[in-house]
Amino acid sequence: MRGRTMVYAYTQDVPIDTDLYRRILDEIGPEPLDGQLLHLCVRRPDGGLRYIDVWESREHCSRAFDQRIHPAVDRAFGGARPSGEPVVTHLEVLDASGALLPAAG
């Protein structure tokens, strides 16, 4: 890994529109999620959205989902959130570099 930082990354396709996505963001609030290095939300050509996330670790990601993301999603859905989670595709990170990453120690 050439001394580069190891990270946890995944993609997730979600069957929601941009209005619901914005409500979720509003519910999460402006405070950064601890350990989240990058979150991209892109529109899929066949509908819905795709999240591409990079975290300092899987543990940071799990903690953020438990403490902030899932509660925010529940509130955005008004308590009528569908059961289950959209499929998460874990990515095998072969190299990680760039301005958003902490310096390798």
Side-chain angles (χ1 to χ4, degrees):
M1 174 60 67
R2 296 184 287 146
R4 303 273 173 100
T5 301
M6 289 301 301
V7 297
Y8 170 65
Y10 69 86
T11 64
Q12 184 178 41
D13 291 347
V14 292
I16 64 173
D17 61 20
T18 55
D19 289 337
L20 181 53
Y21 175 70
R22 289 186 204 306
R23 285 199 308 270
I24 293 168
L25 290 180
D26 288 344
E27 291 292 341
I28 289 173
E31 181 71 25
L33 296 169
D34 182 45
Q36 187 178 52
L37 300 173
L38 176 68
H39 170 75
L40 292 176
C41 177
V42 298
R43 190 179 319 279
R44 293 188 355 239
D46 58 344
L49 305 176
R50 173 170 292 157
Y51 301 154
I52 304 163
D53 279 80
V54 180
W55 294 82
E56 288 181 27
S57 68
R58 186 182 285 239
E59 292 75 24
H60 280 96
C61 178
S62 294
R63 202 168 29 253
F65 268 88
D66 291 344
Q67 295 175 358
R68 298 216 14 227
I69 298 169
H70 282 151
V73 170
D74 289 340
R75 290 189 301 272
F77 269 97
R81 179 175 146 190
S83 63
E85 280 290 305
V87 173
V88 172
T89 302
H90 304 279
L91 302 174
E92 180 182 2
V93 178
L94 300 177
D95 189 28
S97 62
L100 296 178
L101 298 174

